[in-house]
Every structure is written in structure tokens, then in C-alpha cells.
Amino acid sequence: MLRSFRVSTGLKDLIGRDLITSDFVAVFELVKNSFDAHATSVRILFEEERIVITDDGKGMSEADILDKWLFVAYSAKREGTEDANYRDDISQRGRAYAGAKGVGRFSCDRLGSQLQLSSRSQGNSVQILNIDWTRYEQDAKEEFGDIEIDLSQAPRFPDPNTQPRPGHGTVLTISKLRSNWGRVELQQLKRELMKLINPFEEDSSDFQIEIIAPEQLDDDKVDTDHNKNLPDDKDQKLVVNGRIENPILEILKGRTTTIHVKLIDDGKVIDSRLEDRGELIYHIGEDNPYSYLIRSEFSATIYFLNRSAKMFFARRMGLPSVQFGSIFLFRNGFRVFPIGQEYDDFFGLTRRKQQGVRRYLGSRDLIGRVSIAGAEGFDEATSRDQGLINTPQVDQLVTCLLEKCIRRLERYVVDITWKDPEDQISDDTSRMELDDSSVRITQLVSRLAGTPGVELHEYNLDLVRIVDERANAFESSLAALELLAEKTGNRELLSRVSHAKARIKELQDAEQQARAAERRAESRAVLTESKYEQEKERNQFLIAASSLDQDTILNLHHQILMHASDVHIGIKRMMRRLRKGTTVPLDQWIDFLEHVSFRNSQILTASRFATKGGYKQQSAQIEGDLCVYIRDYITTISTLWAPSGLSVHIQPDGQRFQRAFRPIEVGIVIDNLVTNAAKARARNTLFILRVGQRPKPRLSITVADDGIGWHASFAPLERAFEKGVTTTDGSGLGLFHVKQVVEGRLGGLVELLPNPYSDELSGAQLILQVPA
């Protein structure tokens, strides 16, 4: 005996409110239905008790409602019969369908429990369908098909105020609303509708959406007046009523770094253009290696916003770019939700950014769109908040975006524009015209031209150029231009490069001759004066006396006695507590030993000073050049007292850095860092001094060695600063003392870096930052 499925009324919620996950998505689905009905205009009316959605599409006949709209999960769009009997003008026939699941109509239930559908196709009466969705919620044992629905006909639409203007179309009147639609919700809906139809297209005027909310008109007038008198540096407020207009193209155009990628020649060729703030950088073509994308009509436009562009975006849109969204995906012209939302990471850019903050661009850095047709393998999930169904075609789409869009954008932004910090606040490419940036752009374009399979169509002649012959990278620039000229067959460029190479050879020969003449002309007096000045500056802090005079010995004796006495008193107090049987907590033991260790460091450093003399001036705070002092201490004291087998090197930048400090405390810092390097079995440790002036003068001291590096037990790495934490037989107080002096006494900052400084110095690395 044959049997068939029975369907419960609970099906309504399964394919309705359970799949249509938010009110915004519900409105999206109904607007998409209007688009698929060839509407050119959709009006969404919000009143206190109802929502009315009106479109001027082709409308529905009685047969359409019975055979399609009331046929659950049936989609004539998917079957290819939706427009079999619909005669429309030629401009409409090119549209692809936004939906094809047959469940979007249940979005009405998400918004309200009562629906009146009024629809008329050309030459037919108005069909009026009334549905009470609560009838499906009363008894789950009742069968879905047993619920009767009222369908009638009328000569005209029930409400003349909401009927379609051309006389045909569909009106959805949703009442007994399930949610409150206040001003905040309506503003959010308008922002989301801005992103529903591709806002990055040059012309999307053939489909208009309008919001009508009479209760918001007074507030809209206030906000409109506010926007009229708004200074350029203030954010605009969003008005609820009116057409959905997205100024994003106007905002982004000419203010961002942009890459445009699309498939041409029937999907066989990838065409790419990189632009920076309105200026073309390069235009290339290459074979398409992604077989699944050939029929997808893939195209993408990705924008990188520097700090200046982000500020402008926030002012014009009334919200930061990160809240607007990132890279949106559009299928058949309509957005696939939730791809591009702030919390969504469909393309994996946020995860990738976490692997290299300064190497990769993340979703918070980018905004843009990816467009595809509804080709095989690019289907939306039935649940409207799940994006696309994961398929090999979708995987290839993500790979294509990463390799042909994101990475190429990174090679320009990360490797070129980020090298110039001031470019972050520039709204034009003037900084890119500087020699250093121009050299990098030239090398980028040259590498592209030399890539197998890539055809260079066009590049920026103002940026890809021969730079000033005094520029640091002049010769490497010539090499890149020579390769570019050879790959593109540009004889004129090749000639200019050859001329420039000959010119630089002449200058180099002339410079060598001048230097030789200068060396021969140097007199003994000049040489003697130069040596005198060098000796005068050398060790101006430490070589203050060649022997220990009586005053120095007394001062040294006093300091050592003072520190040793302090240690002695502390030990007596602790012994007294122990003899009384007092239990001493662990943290007090650690504090006590840390205090003794620090005093002992002062005694050791003081004794090292004493062997070189000049101790008296080291014991008090002085005003002087900290860079010169550190250099002198390392070359005169650290090299003498460094543990056996360890060489201590210093690399200053020759800049002055004047500030107040206690030399003996700075000595303690250097001693601890040198000792730590020795304990890590290092053979070399390097101190690199760099003085920066922006935003305020600051001395940066990078310390790196070739030891075994940071121990794995330091997780997180900052644990190395804690008192008593050690991986050797030491006290675990060395880095604690370093942090204590640098941050507590000098007002600076100590940062431990997880990565080694270089292949040669592959051990531990840290940076000390000291303000002026």
C-alpha cells in the first residue's frame, strides 16, 4: 500500500521565522521579491500598526497566486518558468533573479501575524489574499494544507493611498507587528538597505527603494537642518524618510587605494587595475587559472582606506567605516547576507591579519564588493544568515579574491605606502612622488612585468620614473626600470636608463677623483685637530680621572657602606622575625630578596665604576647626553667586566639625546642585560641606539643577542618581568630591575619581542624606550 508524507502546520515556522533570522533580513527578502517581479520602485510605509510594501512590478494573476505563491517551497524562478507568460520591454529582460528558494514569502510572518496581499497583473482584476499566520500556530497536529486562506477579487486596490502608481504590481500590508520600529531601528534598516543593492556600481538607478515613515518627519526636519549647518569635521545624521541613496562611491572615489579585478573574454582572462587616490598605478591582464569561476562573471573592487579616508568616510556616512562593513558579496546584483558584516569573516581576512598585523590587511582595513552571477555552485543557504553554501566553487572564489585582489593590494599598501607614515594622513599621491616611494613603485611594476603570464597594459609614468641620482636607491631603481623596459619592449625607456647609467658613472668617477685630491690636501694640523676632538668627546663621562684620588675613594667607601648597611639592617630584621617563630609569607620573602639584590647590584656597579675613576659624578643625578653615556659605559666598563666568551657591541646613530639621569642606575640596567645574555649562552650581544623626534624626542634602545632566546615557560612573555621568575640558577630579578629603572625612574617603557632581531642575532630581543 502506497503512502505519502503528511505536513504539520509547524512547517510554517521552520521555513519562516526559523530561517528568516531578523526583521532586516525579512524586509530584504520581500524587496528582493519585488526586484524579481521586474519592479522599478518599492515603497516601504511604516505606520504605528502596520507595514505596507508596494512595488510596481508585473503583479500576479489568480493562477500565479494559486500555482506559485501558495505552492510552498516551489520556485518558478528556479524552474525557469517565472516569466514564461510575461511580456516586458527589452530593458527588463536582462535581469537575473535575486531569489530562487521559494521561501522568501514567509518573511511576512516574521514581521507581523496578519497579511493582506493585493496584486494585479496587466489586464486582470486585483487579487486579494488574506492570511492569519496565527492559525498555523494553534495545533501542530493539524495539517498544513487543511488551513483555508481567503482569496478574492476586486476591481481596484483596497487602499488608494498605497496602491502601485502604474496600476499593476503588488501590495503587502502586514499588521499586528511582532517588533517595534522606532527611529533607531528605521535608521539601521535604511543603512542596511543602502548595502542591499550593489552600492559600488556606477549606476543602479533602475531600481529605487523608498522609506515612508510619517511619524519620523518632525525628527527628520531637525536632522536635515542640522546637516545643512554642519562643519566639515562633524558627522552627519541619517534622515529616515526618502529614497535609499548611497553616497559611498562619491565618498571613496579618488580618496582611497583601489584594486579593480574582473573576468573578461568569456571569463578566460583576469583584468586588474590598481589605483591610488584617483591615479592609475598599473593595469595588467593574465590568464584565469580558476576554472570554476569562468562562468561566474566574477568582478571585485576593493578599497583600502588610510587614516584620512576613514575620517572623511565617518563624517559623510555618520558612522565609522568598520561599522558600515567590509567586503560585501553580491549575487545577481543583490547582497548575500551576512557577508561583509562587521562580525563576519567569510573571506578569512581577520584570521589572516592576526598572523601578521604589520604584514597583512584585515577586514577592518578594507571595504568593497565582490560580484558574481547565480552560476552553478554559488547558491545561498536556505537560512538567510548563513551566506553561501560551501562548495568547491565558493572555495575558489575566496582563493581568487585573496591572491588576485588582497595580496596585490597589500604589496602596494604594506610594502610602499606604509613605509611613509605621513602618507596615512594625505588625501593625494604627492608623497608617492618622492624618490623613495617612486623607487618602490617602480620595483613593484617591474616585478609584475617580469611575472610569467602577466601582460602589463599600462602604468603611471609620473611614479615609475628615473629618480634623482642622489637618491639612496637610485641604482636599484635603474635596474628595475631596465627590466621593465626589456619586458615591455619600451625602447625609449631603455635609452633613458642607459643615459642615466652613463651619467651616474661620470659622477662617480668625478667624486672619486675629488676625494683623492682632498685626501692628498689634508694637512697634519687638520688631522691632529680631528683626533683631538674625537679624544675630547670619547668617554667624557667615564674617563674623568686616570687614578683614584682620595676624594673618590672616600665617596666610593661611603656609597658601598651605605648600601651594605641597608642590606645588613634588612637581614637583621628578617632574622629577628624568624627567631620569634613568625611565619613570613612568600611574597614578603620575594620583596626582601629583591631589595637585597638591587642593593647588591648598586654595590657591584659602584665597584666597577671605581676601577675607572670619576665615580663621584656617577652617584648623583646629572643632566647630559644619555647616548654618549651608554656608549662610553659599554665600551669602557661592560667590555671589561663582560662574562668570559661574551662580546658586547654598540651601534649608535650619532644623534644627541639630552636628559636627566643617574649614571649608576643606567649602569645597573646595562649590567643586567649583559649578564642575562651570558646566562643564555650568547657569544654576542648588541645595543642599537636610535633617537626619534616624533611626536616627541625619544631614545629607542634595541638589545639583541645570539643566545638560546626566551624560554618557552615565559607565557605570556611579560612573565619574565615578574620577581623570582627565572629559567637559570639566578635570582630572577635582573629583568625586574631593568623594568624598575627604565619605567619607574626614567619614565620609559620596556617591551619584550617574541621574534629574533636577525639571522645572526637569533636569540632574545627587547626594546627600551626612554623619553626626553
Side-chain angles (χ1 to χ4, degrees):
M1 181 181 294
L2 299 177
R3 293 287 187 267
S4 61
F5 282 105
R6 299 171 60 198
V7 180
S8 165
T9 53
L11 176 68
K12 187 266 298 183
D13 286 342
L14 288 177
I15 61 176
R17 278 185 282 171
D18 290 351
L19 293 181
I20 311 298
T21 54
S22 77
D23 294 336
F24 296 153
V25 174
V27 175
F28 293 172
E29 290 298 315
L30 298 177
V31 170
K32 286 163 68 174
N33 284 347
S34 296
F35 179 86
D36 287 342
H38 300 280
T40 60
S41 173
V42 176
R43 287 175 289 149
I44 309 174
L45 170 65
F46 287 90
E47 295 181 333
E48 186 176 358
E49 298 294 336
R50 65 175 186 164
I51 299 173
V52 183
I53 301 177
T54 303
D55 70 52
D56 60 355
K58 65 181 182 179
M60 290 182 284
S61 65
E62 180 182 27
D64 290 330
I65 292 177
L66 293 174
D67 298 337
K68 298 176 182 178
W69 206 92
L70 291 176
F71 197 170
V72 176
Y74 172 75
S75 174
K77 304 165 194 174
R78 186 168 56 223
E79 292 289 310
T81 60
E82 174 66 18
D83 289 327
N85 300 314
Y86 179 61
R87 296 179 181 178
D88 201 6
D89 62 71
I90 191 168
S91 65
Q92 297 282 15
R93 288 201 292 268
R95 275 192 184 175
Y97 292 115
K101 292 290 184 182
V103 297
R105 66 204 69 169
F106 288 91
S107 298
C108 301
D109 175 41
R110 172 82 196 193
L111 299 174
S113 62
Q114 301 289 324
L115 169 67
Q116 182 183 79
L117 181 152
S118 306
S119 187
R120 177 162 61 188
S121 58
Q122 290 182 346
N124 290 293
S125 300
V126 175
Q127 306 297 317
I128 301 176
L129 180 69
N130 289 288
I131 300 177
D132 180 358
W133 298 110
T134 62
R135 284 282 290 110
Y136 295 86
E137 301 167 5
Q138 295 173 4
D139 185 359
K141 293 183 178 180
E142 192 171 2
E143 295 204 20
F144 191 90
D146 291 343
I147 304 295
E148 294 184 346
I149 297 174
D150 178 28
L151 175 63
S152 61
Q153 298 183 6
R156 60 184 60 86
F157 284 91
D159 186 348
N161 295 320
T162 60
Q163 67 180 13
R165 293 192 178 98
H168 61 81
T170 299
V171 180
L172 301 174
T173 303
I174 303 167
S175 55
K176 294 188 178 180
L177 304 181
R178 301 185 189 275
S179 302
N180 176 54
W181 290 90
R183 185 169 185 80
V184 173
E185 289 77 18
L186 291 173
Q187 286 176 324
Q188 181 63 27
L189 174 65
K190 190 167 188 178
R191 288 193 177 98
E192 295 300 330
L193 285 172
M194 286 179 178
K195 299 174 279 188
L196 180 60
I197 302 175
N198 196 338
F200 302 93
E201 293 290 347
E202 291 286 350
D203 184 14
S204 57
S205 58
D206 62 335
F207 186 71
Q208 295 291 336
I209 306 172
E210 181 181 6
I211 291 180
I212 304 170
E215 294 181 356
Q216 303 298 326
L217 288 173
D218 291 341
D219 288 335
D220 280 352
K221 185 178 185 306
V222 172
D223 287 349
T224 300
D225 293 340
H226 168 85
N227 292 339
K228 287 180 180 178
N229 303 315
L230 196 65
D232 291 339
D233 60 344
K234 299 297 181 182
D235 297 349
Q236 291 192 355
K237 293 185 177 180
L238 184 63
V239 174
V240 171
N241 282 273
R243 285 185 176 181
I244 305 297
E245 295 179 348
N246 199 331
I248 189 168
L249 265 185
E250 175 193 346
I251 293 171
L252 297 176
K253 206 167 187 179
R255 292 183 176 86
T256 62
T257 305
T258 313
I259 189 165
H260 306 274
V261 180
K262 63 180 178 180
L263 296 183
I264 60 174
D265 294 346
D266 296 325
K268 298 176 183 177
V269 174
I270 299 177
D271 184 84
S272 304
R273 295 174 62 91
L274 181 70
E275 299 173 356
D276 189 8
R277 285 157 284 192
E279 297 285 341
L280 173 74
I281 304 301
Y282 64 73
H283 177 200
I284 61 173
E286 59 191 312
D287 291 338
N288 175 20
Y290 308 108
S291 58
Y292 287 139
L293 300 186
I294 290 178
R295 292 181 176 82
S296 70
E297 300 178 23
F298 169 87
S299 67
T301 301
I302 312 298
Y303 304 84
F304 166 75
L305 282 67
N306 67 8
R307 196 179 313 148
S308 174
K310 285 180 179 178
M311 292 170 61
F312 186 80
F313 185 99
R315 291 197 299 268
R316 289 295 307 274
M317 296 295 290
L319 78 168
S321 58
V322 66
Q323 292 182 18
F324 180 84
S326 183
I327 299 178
F328 303 98
L329 177 64
F330 295 89
R331 177 181 175 274
N332 289 339
F334 262 82
R335 182 182 167 202
V336 177
F337 194 83
I339 298 172
Q341 292 291 95
E342 183 179 359
Y343 59 82
D344 181 74
D345 192 28
F346 176 79
F347 296 108
L349 300 182
T350 300
R351 296 190 300 274
R352 185 168 172 265
K353 174 82 169 179
Q354 292 169 350
Q355 299 171 9
V357 175
R358 297 182 181 180
R359 291 184 292 143
Y360 301 133
L361 298 176
S363 56
R364 298 175 67 88
D365 303 310
L366 304 170
I367 195 170
R369 59 87 187 169
V370 176
S371 297
I372 55 172
E376 181 181 354
F378 298 100
D379 297 316
E380 287 188 68
T382 304
S383 179
R384 290 311 202 234
D385 65 344
Q386 298 298 315
L388 294 180
I389 299 171
N390 189 30
T391 63
Q393 289 89 337
V394 173
D395 289 341
Q396 206 168 80
L397 170 70
V398 174
T399 301
C400 176
L401 178 82
L402 181 63
E403 293 180 348
K404 302 304 180 183
C405 301
I406 306 302
R407 287 180 178 166
R408 283 185 173 157
L409 192 59
E410 285 172 344
R411 289 181 188 128
Y412 182 80
V413 172
V414 176
D415 297 343
I416 298 176
T417 65
W418 279 7
K419 299 290 186 183
D420 181 2
E422 293 186 21
D423 186 65
Q424 281 291 302
I425 57 175
S426 178
D427 56 5
D428 58 34
T429 57
S430 57
R431 302 288 307 176
M432 293 297 98
E433 296 175 5
L434 300 178
D435 286 342
D436 287 346
S437 295
S438 184
V439 168
R440 297 188 193 103
I441 294 173
T442 300
Q443 292 170 338
L444 170 66
V445 174
S446 175
R447 285 195 299 269
L448 275 174
T451 302
V454 173
E455 182 179 356
L456 181 63
H457 298 313
E458 191 178 1
Y459 59 89
N460 192 309
L461 297 176
D462 293 328
L463 299 179
V464 181
R465 60 181 175 83
I466 298 176
V467 299
D468 191 288
E469 53 203 23
R470 292 167 296 181
N472 294 331
F474 174 74
E475 293 187 30
S476 60
S477 171
L478 286 183
L481 284 169
E482 188 172 30
L483 175 62
L484 178 60
E486 292 173 352
K487 292 296 182 181
T488 58
N490 190 332
R491 294 183 178 180
E492 180 185 353
L493 177 59
L494 194 59
S495 174
R496 286 192 284 121
V497 170
S498 299
H499 179 76
K501 289 172 71 174
R503 172 62 180 160
I504 195 62
K505 181 67 168 58
E506 293 175 2
L507 291 174
Q508 288 173 344
D509 292 344
E511 184 179 6
Q512 288 178 359
Q513 293 174 7
R515 286 179 177 175
E518 182 180 4
R519 284 194 298 268
R520 289 191 299 269
E522 284 181 346
S523 66
R524 184 175 299 275
V526 173
L527 182 60
T528 302
E529 182 179 354
S530 174
K531 289 182 178 180
Y532 169 75
E533 290 297 329
Q534 292 176 10
E535 187 65 23
K536 182 179 176 181
E537 182 191 27
R538 190 175 69 87
N539 299 335
Q540 59 179 301
F541 280 112
L542 299 179
I543 313 303
S546 60
S547 62
L548 295 176
D549 56 23
Q550 183 179 9
D551 185 50
T552 300
I553 293 173
L554 290 175
N555 198 353
L556 172 62
H557 180 269
H558 170 73
Q559 292 293 328
I560 292 178
L561 183 62
M562 181 181 65
H563 297 321
S565 176
D566 186 59
V567 172
H568 180 68
I569 292 172
I571 292 175
K572 286 180 63 178
R573 288 176 179 169
M574 184 59 74
M575 291 296 293
R576 191 180 305 121
R577 295 179 65 184
L578 294 175
R579 289 192 183 101
K580 290 182 178 180
T582 304
T583 300
V584 181
L586 177 61
D587 59 342
Q588 292 185 19
W589 270 111
I590 293 174
D591 289 341
F592 167 72
L593 293 175
E594 181 275 322
H595 179 75
V596 171
S597 174
F598 189 77
R599 287 300 191 190
N600 188 57
S601 295
Q602 290 178 306
I603 293 172
L604 288 172
T605 302
S607 64
R608 292 172 185 174
F609 274 121
T611 63
K612 287 293 177 181
Y615 175 79
K616 182 177 180 179
Q617 70 184 67
Q618 317 300 326
S619 59
Q621 180 167 291
I622 65 170
E623 181 81 26
D625 190 334
L626 183 56
C627 288
V628 172
Y629 174 77
I630 294 174
R631 183 199 67 188
D632 292 348
Y633 187 90
I634 290 174
T635 56
T636 311
I637 292 183
S638 293
T639 53
L640 179 64
W641 290 97
S644 177
L646 175 66
S647 297
V648 185
H649 311 276
I650 184 167
Q651 189 182 93
D653 64 356
Q655 300 294 315
R656 296 179 61 82
F657 188 74
Q658 204 78 8
R659 68 154 291 158
F661 62 94
R662 293 182 183 274
I664 194 169
E665 292 179 347
V666 176
I668 289 173
V669 170
I670 297 173
D671 286 349
N672 276 310
L673 295 176
V674 170
T675 301
N676 280 357
K679 290 179 179 178
R681 299 198 293 275
R683 299 184 63 83
N684 294 280
T685 183
L686 173 65
F687 289 74
I688 304 170
L689 310 185
R690 295 290 182 266
V691 177
Q693 300 297 332
R694 294 185 180 181
K696 295 181 180 180
R698 179 177 292 267
L699 171 62
S700 175
I701 308 168
T702 300
V703 186
D705 63 49
D706 58 1
I708 60 176
W710 301 114
H711 198 273
S713 63
F714 293 154
L717 201 55
E718 286 70 21
R719 286 200 64 233
F721 288 129
E722 297 178 10
K723 288 188 288 188
V725 175
T726 181
T727 58
T728 68
D729 58 357
S731 63
L733 294 172
L735 285 177
F736 175 78
H737 287 162
V738 170
K739 186 179 182 72
Q740 191 177 47
V741 171
V742 175
E743 298 188 359
R745 308 292 178 88
L746 298 176
L749 180 67
V750 184
E751 181 182 6
L752 308 183
L753 303 182
N755 299 321
Y757 178 78
S758 66
D759 292 340
E760 292 77 18
L761 297 173
S762 58
Q765 182 189 180
L766 66 156
I767 295 180
L768 317 179
Q769 301 280 356
V770 180

